C-alpha cells in the first residue's frame, strides 16, 4: 500500500504557499520588467528562468532575450538581489551538445554565484531530460506518440549515456528540481501530492516537481481566478504556476488589468510567496526528504496529465 503523505504546515502561520516558474520564452526588456516590478512591489518572490548563453543557431521553436545581452543580464542580477530565484531553461534557445551544456552551466555559476537549482526544459531541444515520449511510461508512451504524430519519437537524448546530447550526470549532480507535468488546478498538490518526488525509472533527475497551468496571460488568470484563490487558501495548498510572462501580460504599454487585479487580491491574502526551490525545499523537509514515487502513483500522474494534454494541448 502506498505511503500516506503528511499535510504540509506552512511557516509563520501562512495559510497557503504560492510560487511562479517563469519560462523565459519571448521575454524581453520591453515586456517582462513591468511584471516583475508588480510582483516585487507586492512582496511576491518567484522564479525567473534564463538562457545563460547567447544563441549561435536558430531557436528550436521560439526565442527571447538571453544573458548574452549585458543590459538584460544586469536586470536579471538586480532581480536576484531583490530575492527572486534565477532558474534554468536549458542553456540557450536551441539544442546544445554536452560540451555546450557544460559551458552554459559554468556561465550560469559565473553570473549568479551558484548552480541553477530549478530547471524546465525548453521545447524541442535535443538535450531534453526525459522529454517527449520519455516523460511517460509504457502504454502512456505509445499514446503520447500517437497524440504528437510521432514527431518527437526518439528525439530527446539528454538522459541517454553515450549520446552527444547526454548530460544526465550533470543534471543529477548540479540541479535540485526539474519541472515535468502541468495541471489546471491552482493547488498543484491536488494532482501531484508527491512532489518533490524522485523516480527510480528516471535516475538522472534528483527530484521532479509539477506545476499549475498558466502558459500565457489568458490561461494564467483563468487558473488563479477569485474562486480558485479562495479554494487554495481553504485547502492550505501550494501552487507553482508555470507561465511565460513574455506572452501577453504586458501589451500596448500596460499590464493586463485582470492579471493586476487578481495578483493584488492574491497578495492581500497573506500567503507564503516564495521562489520555487524554497517552496519545494520546505515540502521536502517536512516529509524528511524527497518522496520516491511508486509505479502506480506515477501512472495516475501520467493519466491526469495526458487527459489535460488531450483537452488543452498543454506542455
Amino acid at each position: 500500500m502506498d505511503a500516506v503523505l503528511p499535510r504540509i504546515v506552512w511557516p509563520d502561520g501562512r495559510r497557503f504557499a504560492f510560487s511562479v516558474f517563469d519560462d523565459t520564452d519571448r521575454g524581453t526588456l520591453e515586456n517582462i520588467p513591468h511584471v516583475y516590478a508588480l510582483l516585487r512591489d507586492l512582496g511576491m518572490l518567484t522564479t525567473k528562468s534564463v538562457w545563460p548563453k547567447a544563441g549561435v543557431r536558430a531557436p528550436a521553436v521560439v526565442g527571447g532575450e538571453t544573458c548574452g545581452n549585458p543590459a538584460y543580464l544586469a536586470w536579471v542580477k538586480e532581480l536576484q538581489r531583490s530575492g527572486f530565484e534565477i532558474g534554468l531553461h536549458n542553456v540557450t534557445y536551441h539544442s546544445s551538445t554536452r560540451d555546450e551544456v557544460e559551458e552554459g552551466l559554468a556561465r550560469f555559476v559565473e553570473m549568479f554565484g551558484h548552480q541553477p537549482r530549478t530547471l524546465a526544459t525548453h521545447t524541442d531541444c535535443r538535450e531534453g531530460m526525459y522529454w517527449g515520449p520519455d516523460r511517460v511510461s509504457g502504454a502512456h508512451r505509445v499514446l503520447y506518440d500517437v497524440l504528437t504524430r510521432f514527431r518527437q519519437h526518439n528525439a530527446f537524448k539528454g538522459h541517454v549515456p553515450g549520446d552527444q546530447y547526454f548530460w544526465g550526470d550533470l543534471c543529477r549532480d548540479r540541479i535540485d528540481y526539474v519541472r515535468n507535468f502541468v495541471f489546471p488546478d491552482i493547488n498543484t498538490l491536488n494532482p501531484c501530492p508527491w512532489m518533490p518526488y524522485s523516480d527510480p525509472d528516471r535516475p538522472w533527475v534528483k527530484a521532479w516537481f509539477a506545476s499549475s497551468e498558466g502558459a500565457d496571460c489568458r490561461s494564467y488568470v483563468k487558473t488563479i481566478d477569485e474562486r480558485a484563490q479562495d479554494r487554495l487558501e481553504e485547502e492550505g495548498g501550494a501552487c507553482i504556476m508555470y507561465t511565460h510572462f513574455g506572452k501577453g501580460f504586458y501589451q500596448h504599454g500596460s499590464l493586463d488589468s485582470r492579471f493586476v487585479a487578481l495578483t493584488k487580491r492574491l497578495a492581500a491574502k497573506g500567503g507564503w510567496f516564495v521562489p520555487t526551490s524554497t517552496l519545494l525545499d520546505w515540502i521536502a523537509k517536512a516529509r524528511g526528504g524527497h518522496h520516491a514515487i511508486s509505479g502506480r502513483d506515477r501512472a495516475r500522474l501520467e493519466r491526469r496529465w495526458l487527459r489535460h494534454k488531450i483537452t488543452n494541448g498543454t506542455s
Side-chain angles (χ1 to χ4, degrees):
M1 187 173 181
D2 294 329
V4 176
L5 298 173
R7 179 183 174 88
I8 305 300
V9 178
W10 307 112
D12 303 321
R14 302 293 183 175
R15 295 285 301 278
F16 64 94
F18 183 88
S19 188
V20 179
F21 189 102
D22 172 26
D23 181 318
T24 198
D25 291 6
R26 297 185 182 172
T28 69
L29 285 175
E30 284 68 50
N31 54 25
I32 54 175
H34 304 278
V35 177
Y36 282 95
L38 174 67
L39 295 175
R40 183 177 58 241
D41 290 347
L42 294 173
M44 301 177 74
L45 298 177
T46 60
T47 298
K48 193 254 180 287
S49 68
V50 298
W51 288 310
K53 291 179 59 179
V56 295
R57 297 182 287 278
V61 175
V62 63
E65 196 58 83
T66 76
C67 293
N69 178 344
Y72 178 79
L73 176 59
W75 174 73
V76 173
K77 286 185 173 182
E78 179 58 34
L79 279 185
Q80 184 186 36
R81 286 191 290 269
S82 297
F84 290 89
E85 176 183 20
I86 310 305
L88 191 69
H89 191 47
N90 290 34
V91 297
T92 193
Y93 50 59
H94 56 65
S95 297
S96 301
T97 64
R98 178 187 175 90
D99 288 345
E100 291 171 329
V101 170
E102 195 155 22
E103 179 188 359
L105 291 173
R107 289 191 184 181
F108 188 101
V109 174
E110 291 173 5
M111 294 168 180
F112 304 112
H114 59 81
Q115 298 287 351
R117 299 203 60 209
T118 51
L119 163 72
T121 294
H122 183 46
T123 300
D124 280 9
C125 284
R126 296 293 302 279
E127 75 275 19
M129 191 62 56
Y130 301 107
W131 201 242
D134 292 303
R135 294 173 77 174
V136 291
S137 311
H140 294 151
R141 188 171 301 176
V142 177
L143 177 58
Y144 182 98
D145 273 333
V146 171
L147 289 172
T148 57
R149 300 180 180 181
F150 290 84
R151 183 179 65 85
Q152 298 179 339
H153 185 73
N154 203 34
F156 303 105
K157 303 293 186 178
H159 56 284
V160 181
D163 193 274
Q164 65 173 329
Y165 292 107
F166 171 72
W167 65 289
D169 54 333
L170 304 178
C171 180
R172 177 199 61 201
D173 295 343
R174 304 186 191 187
I175 297 173
D176 293 323
Y177 302 112
V178 178
R179 195 272 310 197
N180 195 350
F181 302 121
V182 183
F183 301 97
D185 195 324
I186 191 173
N187 185 356
T188 318
L189 288 174
N190 280 338
C192 188
W194 310 282
M195 74 172 191
Y197 65 88
S198 61
D199 182 348
D201 292 336
R202 292 163 177 81
W204 298 118
V205 168
K206 190 181 300 182
W208 297 93
F209 70 96
S211 54
S212 296
E213 179 66 61
D216 55 20
C217 187
R218 182 178 180 180
S219 64
Y220 186 101
V221 299
K222 179 180 178 181
T223 299
I224 69 158
D225 69 11
E226 292 87 351
R227 183 177 297 181
Q229 289 183 16
D230 293 345
R231 180 168 57 81
L232 178 65
E233 183 178 17
E234 291 166 5
E235 294 175 353
C239 176
I240 300 177
M241 288 297 297
Y242 188 82
T243 194
H244 304 80
F245 280 144
K247 293 185 177 182
F249 288 80
Y250 181 84
Q251 297 186 94
H252 312 300
S254 64
L255 287 169
D256 180 85
S257 59
R258 179 72 170 148
F259 166 68
V260 173
L262 287 171
T263 302
K264 288 182 176 179
R265 184 183 190 273
L266 183 62
K269 282 183 170 293
W272 192 41
F273 301 104
V274 290
T276 299
S277 67
T278 304
L279 193 162
L280 294 170
D281 284 346
W282 183 269
I283 297 174
K285 182 179 180 181
R287 292 177 177 163
H290 300 150
H291 177 74
I293 198 167
S294 69
R296 184 171 70 172
D297 285 340
R298 194 178 204 289
R300 292 173 185 166
L301 195 61
E302 292 177 0
R303 284 194 296 272
R304 290 170 182 166
W305 176 67
L306 285 169
R307 282 196 297 267
H308 181 47
K309 186 174 182 65
I310 291 169
T311 304
N312 299 277
T314 180
S315 59

